[in-house]
């Protein structure tokens, strides 16, 4: 079963390095993690780009400042797998 996880992030610099490796560890090689960077003003986008460079399961979207529902809907629409999880 292929899964696309949806993860919106806004100003998550303090949590990305600590938590993202654990999230990725739960995914299989054919799963996907759609990360929606949502207008952060900290170094979140820079950190997420570094993770995306080394893990092909990450699909990184930067959509600017938007609300959570818009970010989640964008993540769902960009999901490549039949199952979507938040």
């Amino acid at each position: 079963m292929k899964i696309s996880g949806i993860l919106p992030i806004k100003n998550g610099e303090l949590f990305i390095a600590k938590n993202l490796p654990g999230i990725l560890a739960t995914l299989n090689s054919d799963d996907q993690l759609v990360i929606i960077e949502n207008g952060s003003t900290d170094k979140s986008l820079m950190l997420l780009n570094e993770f995306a460079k080394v893990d092909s399961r990450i699909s990184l979207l930067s959509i600017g400042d938007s609300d959570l529902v818009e970010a989640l809907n964008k993540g769902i629409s960009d999901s490549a797998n039949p199952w979507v999880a938040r």
Side-chain angles (χ1 to χ4, degrees), residues 30-81:
D30 57 351
D31 290 338
Q32 173 192 36
L33 182 60
V34 180
I35 302 175
I36 306 96
E37 191 285 317
N38 198 10
S40 297
T41 57
D42 62 4
K43 295 180 182 175
S44 293
L45 184 57
M46 181 191 73
L47 294 171
L48 293 169
N49 274 314
E50 293 302 315
F51 274 97
K53 286 179 187 175
V54 296
D55 196 321
S56 62
R57 298 173 298 172
I58 295 175
S59 175
L60 179 59
L61 309 171
S62 183
I63 63 170
D65 194 23
S66 62
D67 63 31
L68 178 60
V69 173
E70 183 180 349
L72 291 171
N73 285 333
K74 180 64 176 162
I76 291 168
S77 69
D78 282 30
S79 295
N81 293 326

Short mmCIF file of all heavy atoms in Angstrom, two decimals, residues 30-81:
data_model
loop_
_atom_site.label_atom_id
_atom_site.label_comp_id
_atom_site.label_asym_id
_atom_site.label_seq_id
_atom_site.Cartn_x
_atom_site.Cartn_y
_atom_site.Cartn_z
N ASP A 30 8.51 3.29 -1.07
CA ASP A 30 7.62 3.75 -2.13
C ASP A 30 6.54 4.73 -1.62
O ASP A 30 5.65 5.12 -2.37
CB ASP A 30 6.97 2.58 -2.86
CG ASP A 30 6.19 1.66 -1.94
OD1 ASP A 30 6.28 1.82 -0.71
OD2 ASP A 30 5.51 0.76 -2.46
N ASP A 31 6.65 5.14 -0.37
CA ASP A 31 5.75 6.16 0.17
C ASP A 31 6.27 7.55 -0.19
O ASP A 31 7.37 7.70 -0.72
CB ASP A 31 5.64 6.03 1.69
CG ASP A 31 4.89 4.79 2.13
OD1 ASP A 31 4.11 4.24 1.33
OD2 ASP A 31 5.10 4.36 3.29
N GLN A 32 5.47 8.54 0.13
CA GLN A 32 5.80 9.93 -0.20
C GLN A 32 5.45 10.79 1.00
O GLN A 32 4.47 10.53 1.70
CB GLN A 32 4.97 10.37 -1.42
CG GLN A 32 5.08 11.83 -1.77
CD GLN A 32 4.03 12.25 -2.79
OE1 GLN A 32 2.90 11.78 -2.79
NE2 GLN A 32 4.41 13.16 -3.68
N LEU A 33 6.25 11.81 1.24
CA LEU A 33 5.92 12.81 2.24
C LEU A 33 5.82 14.16 1.54
O LEU A 33 6.81 14.69 1.04
CB LEU A 33 6.97 12.87 3.35
CG LEU A 33 6.69 13.86 4.48
CD1 LEU A 33 5.38 13.53 5.19
CD2 LEU A 33 7.85 13.91 5.47
N VAL A 34 4.60 14.68 1.45
CA VAL A 34 4.36 15.98 0.85
C VAL A 34 4.45 17.01 1.97
O VAL A 34 3.60 17.04 2.86
CB VAL A 34 2.98 16.05 0.16
CG1 VAL A 34 2.78 17.42 -0.47
CG2 VAL A 34 2.84 14.96 -0.88
N ILE A 35 5.49 17.83 1.92
CA ILE A 35 5.68 18.88 2.91
C ILE A 35 5.28 20.20 2.27
O ILE A 35 5.80 20.56 1.21
CB ILE A 35 7.13 18.95 3.41
CG1 ILE A 35 7.55 17.60 4.02
CG2 ILE A 35 7.28 20.08 4.42
CD1 ILE A 35 9.01 17.55 4.43
N ILE A 36 4.35 20.89 2.91
CA ILE A 36 3.89 22.17 2.40
C ILE A 36 4.44 23.26 3.30
O ILE A 36 4.00 23.41 4.44
CB ILE A 36 2.34 22.25 2.35
CG1 ILE A 36 1.76 21.07 1.57
CG2 ILE A 36 1.89 23.56 1.75
CD1 ILE A 36 1.34 19.94 2.45
N GLU A 37 5.42 23.99 2.80
CA GLU A 37 6.00 25.11 3.54
C GLU A 37 5.08 26.29 3.30
O GLU A 37 4.82 26.69 2.18
CB GLU A 37 7.43 25.38 3.07
CG GLU A 37 8.21 26.33 3.94
CD GLU A 37 7.77 27.78 3.75
OE1 GLU A 37 7.56 28.20 2.60
OE2 GLU A 37 7.61 28.47 4.76
N ASN A 38 4.60 26.84 4.40
CA ASN A 38 3.44 27.72 4.37
C ASN A 38 3.78 29.16 4.79
O ASN A 38 3.20 29.69 5.72
CB ASN A 38 2.39 27.09 5.30
CG ASN A 38 1.01 27.60 5.09
OD1 ASN A 38 0.75 28.30 4.14
ND2 ASN A 38 0.13 27.25 5.98
N GLY A 39 4.77 29.76 4.12
CA GLY A 39 5.09 31.16 4.39
C GLY A 39 5.90 31.39 5.65
O GLY A 39 5.69 32.38 6.35
N SER A 40 6.83 30.50 5.93
CA SER A 40 7.66 30.65 7.13
C SER A 40 8.54 31.89 7.06
O SER A 40 9.00 32.28 5.98
CB SER A 40 8.55 29.42 7.31
OG SER A 40 7.78 28.26 7.52
N THR A 41 8.79 32.47 8.22
CA THR A 41 9.70 33.62 8.31
C THR A 41 10.99 33.23 9.00
O THR A 41 11.86 34.08 9.20
CB THR A 41 9.03 34.78 9.08
OG1 THR A 41 8.62 34.32 10.37
CG2 THR A 41 7.82 35.31 8.31
N ASP A 42 11.14 31.97 9.36
CA ASP A 42 12.38 31.48 9.96
C ASP A 42 13.16 30.68 8.90
O ASP A 42 12.95 30.86 7.71
CB ASP A 42 12.08 30.67 11.22
CG ASP A 42 11.25 29.41 10.94
OD1 ASP A 42 10.96 29.11 9.77
OD2 ASP A 42 10.90 28.73 11.92
N LYS A 43 14.02 29.78 9.31
CA LYS A 43 14.85 29.01 8.38
C LYS A 43 14.22 27.67 7.99
O LYS A 43 14.91 26.77 7.50
CB LYS A 43 16.22 28.77 9.01
CG LYS A 43 17.01 30.04 9.21
CD LYS A 43 18.36 29.76 9.82
CE LYS A 43 19.11 31.06 10.06
NZ LYS A 43 20.37 30.84 10.77
N SER A 44 12.92 27.55 8.16
CA SER A 44 12.24 26.28 7.84
C SER A 44 12.47 25.85 6.40
O SER A 44 12.82 24.69 6.14
CB SER A 44 10.74 26.40 8.09
OG SER A 44 10.45 26.55 9.44
N LEU A 45 12.27 26.74 5.45
CA LEU A 45 12.40 26.37 4.04
C LEU A 45 13.81 25.90 3.71
O LEU A 45 13.99 24.91 3.01
CB LEU A 45 11.99 27.54 3.13
CG LEU A 45 12.00 27.25 1.64
CD1 LEU A 45 11.09 26.07 1.29
CD2 LEU A 45 11.57 28.48 0.85
N MET A 46 14.80 26.56 4.25
CA MET A 46 16.20 26.16 4.03
C MET A 46 16.44 24.74 4.56
O MET A 46 17.03 23.89 3.88
CB MET A 46 17.15 27.13 4.70
CG MET A 46 18.62 26.80 4.50
SD MET A 46 19.71 27.77 5.55
CE MET A 46 19.41 27.04 7.15
N LEU A 47 15.97 24.45 5.77
CA LEU A 47 16.15 23.13 6.36
C LEU A 47 15.40 22.07 5.57
O LEU A 47 15.92 20.97 5.33
CB LEU A 47 15.67 23.13 7.82
CG LEU A 47 16.48 23.98 8.78
CD1 LEU A 47 15.76 24.08 10.12
CD2 LEU A 47 17.87 23.41 8.96
N LEU A 48 14.20 22.37 5.16
CA LEU A 48 13.41 21.41 4.39
C LEU A 48 14.04 21.12 3.05
O LEU A 48 14.02 19.96 2.58
CB LEU A 48 11.98 21.94 4.21
CG LEU A 48 11.16 22.04 5.50
CD1 LEU A 48 9.88 22.81 5.25
CD2 LEU A 48 10.88 20.66 6.08
N ASN A 49 14.62 22.12 2.41
CA ASN A 49 15.32 21.90 1.14
C ASN A 49 16.48 20.95 1.33
O ASN A 49 16.74 20.10 0.47
CB ASN A 49 15.81 23.23 0.56
CG ASN A 49 14.76 23.91 -0.27
OD1 ASN A 49 14.11 23.29 -1.10
ND2 ASN A 49 14.59 25.20 -0.05
N GLU A 50 17.19 21.05 2.45
CA GLU A 50 18.31 20.14 2.72
C GLU A 50 17.81 18.70 2.86
O GLU A 50 18.44 17.77 2.33
CB GLU A 50 19.06 20.58 3.97
CG GLU A 50 19.79 21.90 3.81
CD GLU A 50 20.82 21.88 2.67
OE1 GLU A 50 21.58 20.89 2.57
OE2 GLU A 50 20.84 22.84 1.89
N PHE A 51 16.72 18.50 3.57
CA PHE A 51 16.16 17.15 3.69
C PHE A 51 15.69 16.64 2.34
O PHE A 51 15.89 15.46 2.02
CB PHE A 51 14.99 17.15 4.69
CG PHE A 51 15.41 16.98 6.12
CD1 PHE A 51 15.57 18.07 6.94
CD2 PHE A 51 15.64 15.72 6.65
CE1 PHE A 51 15.95 17.93 8.27
CE2 PHE A 51 16.02 15.55 7.97
CZ PHE A 51 16.17 16.67 8.78
N ALA A 52 15.05 17.49 1.55
CA ALA A 52 14.53 17.06 0.25
C ALA A 52 15.64 16.67 -0.71
O ALA A 52 15.44 15.81 -1.57
CB ALA A 52 13.66 18.17 -0.35
N LYS A 53 16.81 17.26 -0.56
CA LYS A 53 17.94 16.93 -1.44
C LYS A 53 18.44 15.51 -1.22
O LYS A 53 18.95 14.89 -2.14
CB LYS A 53 19.10 17.89 -1.20
CG LYS A 53 18.90 19.27 -1.77
CD LYS A 53 20.10 20.14 -1.45
CE LYS A 53 19.85 21.57 -1.85
NZ LYS A 53 20.97 22.46 -1.44
N VAL A 54 18.29 14.99 0.00
CA VAL A 54 18.85 13.68 0.31
C VAL A 54 17.81 12.57 0.44
O VAL A 54 18.17 11.41 0.59
CB VAL A 54 19.72 13.73 1.60
CG1 VAL A 54 20.91 14.63 1.40
CG2 VAL A 54 18.91 14.16 2.79
N ASP A 55 16.53 12.92 0.38
CA ASP A 55 15.49 11.91 0.48
C ASP A 55 14.45 12.12 -0.63
O ASP A 55 13.68 13.07 -0.59
CB ASP A 55 14.81 11.97 1.85
CG ASP A 55 13.99 10.73 2.17
OD1 ASP A 55 13.33 10.20 1.24
OD2 ASP A 55 14.01 10.28 3.32
N SER A 56 14.47 11.22 -1.59
CA SER A 56 13.60 11.37 -2.76
C SER A 56 12.12 11.16 -2.44
O SER A 56 11.26 11.45 -3.27
CB SER A 56 14.02 10.39 -3.85
OG SER A 56 13.88 9.05 -3.39
N ARG A 57 11.80 10.68 -1.25
CA ARG A 57 10.39 10.50 -0.88
C ARG A 57 9.73 11.83 -0.52
O ARG A 57 8.51 11.92 -0.46
CB ARG A 57 10.28 9.54 0.31
CG ARG A 57 10.80 8.15 0.01
CD ARG A 57 10.82 7.31 1.24
NE ARG A 57 11.74 7.91 2.22
CZ ARG A 57 11.87 7.49 3.48
NH1 ARG A 57 11.12 6.50 3.92
NH2 ARG A 57 12.72 8.07 4.29
N ILE A 58 10.54 12.87 -0.31
CA ILE A 58 10.01 14.18 0.06
C ILE A 58 9.63 14.96 -1.19
O ILE A 58 10.44 15.12 -2.11
CB ILE A 58 11.03 14.98 0.88
CG1 ILE A 58 11.29 14.28 2.21
CG2 ILE A 58 10.53 16.41 1.11
CD1 ILE A 58 12.38 14.94 3.04
N SER A 59 8.41 15.44 -1.20
CA SER A 59 7.95 16.38 -2.21
C SER A 59 7.68 17.69 -1.49
O SER A 59 6.77 17.78 -0.67
CB SER A 59 6.67 15.84 -2.86
OG SER A 59 6.14 16.78 -3.75
N LEU A 60 8.50 18.70 -1.75
CA LEU A 60 8.43 19.96 -1.02
C LEU A 60 7.73 21.02 -1.85
O LEU A 60 8.11 21.30 -2.98
CB LEU A 60 9.84 20.43 -0.65
CG LEU A 60 9.96 21.74 0.10
CD1 LEU A 60 9.18 21.71 1.42
CD2 LEU A 60 11.43 22.05 0.36
N LEU A 61 6.69 21.60 -1.27
CA LEU A 61 5.94 22.68 -1.91
C LEU A 61 6.06 23.92 -1.03
O LEU A 61 5.91 23.84 0.17
CB LEU A 61 4.46 22.32 -2.04
CG LEU A 61 4.11 20.97 -2.65
CD1 LEU A 61 2.63 20.70 -2.49
CD2 LEU A 61 4.52 20.96 -4.10
N SER A 62 6.34 25.05 -1.64
CA SER A 62 6.36 26.31 -0.91
C SER A 62 5.24 27.17 -1.50
O SER A 62 5.32 27.60 -2.64
CB SER A 62 7.72 27.00 -1.04
OG SER A 62 7.73 28.18 -0.29
N ILE A 63 4.20 27.40 -0.70
CA ILE A 63 3.02 28.06 -1.24
C ILE A 63 2.80 29.46 -0.70
O ILE A 63 1.78 30.08 -0.98
CB ILE A 63 1.76 27.20 -1.01
CG1 ILE A 63 1.47 27.02 0.48
CG2 ILE A 63 1.89 25.88 -1.72
CD1 ILE A 63 0.12 26.40 0.75
N GLY A 64 3.72 29.97 0.06
CA GLY A 64 3.53 31.30 0.62
C GLY A 64 2.55 31.27 1.78
O GLY A 64 2.09 30.21 2.20
N ASP A 65 2.22 32.41 2.29
CA ASP A 65 1.36 32.50 3.46
C ASP A 65 -0.08 32.15 3.10
O ASP A 65 -0.71 32.82 2.30
CB ASP A 65 1.43 33.92 4.04
CG ASP A 65 0.85 34.00 5.43
OD1 ASP A 65 0.79 32.95 6.11
OD2 ASP A 65 0.46 35.10 5.84
N SER A 66 -0.59 31.07 3.67
CA SER A 66 -1.97 30.65 3.45
C SER A 66 -2.47 29.97 4.71
O SER A 66 -1.70 29.69 5.63
CB SER A 66 -2.06 29.70 2.25
OG SER A 66 -1.32 28.54 2.50
N ASP A 67 -3.75 29.68 4.75
CA ASP A 67 -4.27 29.03 5.95
C ASP A 67 -4.04 27.52 5.88
O ASP A 67 -3.64 26.97 4.85
CB ASP A 67 -5.74 29.38 6.18
CG ASP A 67 -6.66 28.90 5.06
OD1 ASP A 67 -6.38 27.87 4.43
OD2 ASP A 67 -7.68 29.57 4.83
N LEU A 68 -4.30 26.87 6.98
CA LEU A 68 -4.04 25.44 7.09
C LEU A 68 -4.85 24.62 6.09
O LEU A 68 -4.32 23.70 5.45
CB LEU A 68 -4.33 24.96 8.52
CG LEU A 68 -4.15 23.48 8.79
CD1 LEU A 68 -2.71 23.05 8.52
CD2 LEU A 68 -4.55 23.14 10.20
N VAL A 69 -6.10 24.94 5.93
CA VAL A 69 -6.95 24.18 5.00
C VAL A 69 -6.43 24.28 3.58
O VAL A 69 -6.36 23.28 2.85
CB VAL A 69 -8.42 24.66 5.10
CG1 VAL A 69 -9.27 23.99 4.03
CG2 VAL A 69 -8.98 24.38 6.49
N GLU A 70 -6.04 25.47 3.16
CA GLU A 70 -5.48 25.65 1.82
C GLU A 70 -4.20 24.83 1.66
O GLU A 70 -3.98 24.19 0.62
CB GLU A 70 -5.20 27.12 1.56
CG GLU A 70 -4.70 27.41 0.17
CD GLU A 70 -4.44 28.89 -0.08
OE1 GLU A 70 -4.83 29.74 0.76
OE2 GLU A 70 -3.83 29.20 -1.12
N ALA A 71 -3.34 24.85 2.68
CA ALA A 71 -2.10 24.08 2.62
C ALA A 71 -2.38 22.58 2.53
O ALA A 71 -1.76 21.88 1.72
CB ALA A 71 -1.24 24.39 3.85
N LEU A 72 -3.30 22.10 3.33
CA LEU A 72 -3.64 20.67 3.28
C LEU A 72 -4.23 20.28 1.93
O LEU A 72 -3.88 19.24 1.37
CB LEU A 72 -4.62 20.33 4.41
CG LEU A 72 -4.05 20.40 5.82
CD1 LEU A 72 -5.16 20.24 6.84
CD2 LEU A 72 -2.97 19.35 6.03
N ASN A 73 -5.12 21.10 1.40
CA ASN A 73 -5.71 20.80 0.10
C ASN A 73 -4.65 20.79 -1.00
O ASN A 73 -4.71 19.95 -1.91
CB ASN A 73 -6.82 21.79 -0.23
CG ASN A 73 -8.09 21.52 0.54
OD1 ASN A 73 -8.36 20.39 0.93
ND2 ASN A 73 -8.88 22.55 0.77
N LYS A 74 -3.69 21.69 -0.94
CA LYS A 74 -2.60 21.69 -1.92
C LYS A 74 -1.78 20.41 -1.80
O LYS A 74 -1.41 19.81 -2.80
CB LYS A 74 -1.72 22.93 -1.73
CG LYS A 74 -0.57 23.03 -2.69
CD LYS A 74 -1.04 23.17 -4.12
CE LYS A 74 0.15 23.35 -5.04
NZ LYS A 74 -0.19 23.07 -6.43
N GLY A 75 -1.51 19.99 -0.58
CA GLY A 75 -0.78 18.74 -0.37
C GLY A 75 -1.52 17.54 -0.91
O GLY A 75 -0.92 16.66 -1.54
N ILE A 76 -2.81 17.49 -0.68
CA ILE A 76 -3.62 16.38 -1.20
C ILE A 76 -3.60 16.36 -2.72
O ILE A 76 -3.43 15.32 -3.34
CB ILE A 76 -5.06 16.46 -0.65
CG1 ILE A 76 -5.07 16.17 0.84
CG2 ILE A 76 -5.98 15.50 -1.41
CD1 ILE A 76 -6.38 16.50 1.52
N SER A 77 -3.74 17.53 -3.33
CA SER A 77 -3.77 17.59 -4.80
C SER A 77 -2.44 17.21 -5.42
O SER A 77 -2.39 16.76 -6.56
CB SER A 77 -4.23 18.96 -5.28
OG SER A 77 -3.27 19.94 -5.00
N ASP A 78 -1.35 17.38 -4.67
CA ASP A 78 -0.03 17.02 -5.19
C ASP A 78 0.42 15.62 -4.77
O ASP A 78 1.55 15.23 -5.05
CB ASP A 78 1.00 18.05 -4.75
CG ASP A 78 0.94 19.32 -5.58
OD1 ASP A 78 -0.15 19.66 -6.06
OD2 ASP A 78 1.99 19.94 -5.76
N SER A 79 -0.44 14.88 -4.10
CA SER A 79 -0.08 13.53 -3.66
C SER A 79 -0.03 12.59 -4.85
O SER A 79 -0.87 12.63 -5.73
CB SER A 79 -1.12 13.02 -2.66
OG SER A 79 -1.09 13.80 -1.50
N ALA A 80 0.97 11.71 -4.84
CA ALA A 80 1.16 10.78 -5.95
C ALA A 80 0.57 9.40 -5.65
O ALA A 80 0.40 8.61 -6.57
CB ALA A 80 2.66 10.64 -6.24
N ASN A 81 0.26 9.12 -4.41
CA ASN A 81 -0.18 7.79 -4.03
C ASN A 81 -1.69 7.75 -3.74
O ASN A 81 -2.30 8.78 -3.42
CB ASN A 81 0.60 7.32 -2.81
CG ASN A 81 2.07 7.10 -3.15
OD1 ASN A 81 2.41 6.69 -4.25
ND2 ASN A 81 2.96 7.39 -2.21
#
